[in-house]
Amino acid sequence: MIGPRSRGSQFYLLHLLAVLVGLVLVVAGPWRAGVIVIGVAFVVGAVARSVVPISHIGMLRVRGKAFDVFWMTTLGVALILLAIVIPGQPG
């Protein structure tokens, strides 16, 4: 099998792929959609961090479980809210 064996590492790579897609969207033009994709990726990463058992967490673990879940959720929700709240620019 090619790729990571632990479930957490697989989620981590999917998370990185989603962030990359979001960054491509930001650069390509629809920045709001790109920032929302990145925010959703962080919220999904937080959910994954909270449900994957410690024996399979792999690269998804940065610090303790509570810290990881709190900061990924906070960052994801903040990005989504900012993308929604910032008014569109005329032109």
Side-chain angles (χ1 to χ4, degrees):
M1 179 176 135
I2 296 175
R5 287 184 272 167
S6 72
R7 186 64 58 199
S9 294
Q10 292 168 354
F11 277 120
Y12 178 76
L13 289 179
L14 287 173
H15 172 78
L16 286 179
L17 180 63
V19 170
L20 179 65
V21 168
L23 289 174
V24 168
L25 286 172
V26 168
V27 170
W31 67 269
R32 204 177 296 269
V35 172
I36 289 173
V37 167
I38 295 169
V40 169
F42 275 99
V43 172
V44 170
V47 171
R49 176 66 172 103
S50 66
V51 296
V52 175
I54 193 71
S55 60
H56 295 282
I57 206 64
M59 294 185 294
L60 194 59
R61 181 180 183 184
V62 175
R63 301 277 183 212
K65 187 176 193 174
F67 179 86
D68 290 345
V69 171
F70 173 77
W71 282 111
M72 283 197 287
T73 303
T74 301
L75 181 60
V77 170
L79 286 171
I80 293 168
L81 289 177
L82 284 172
I84 293 170
V85 170
I86 294 175
Q89 301 296 318

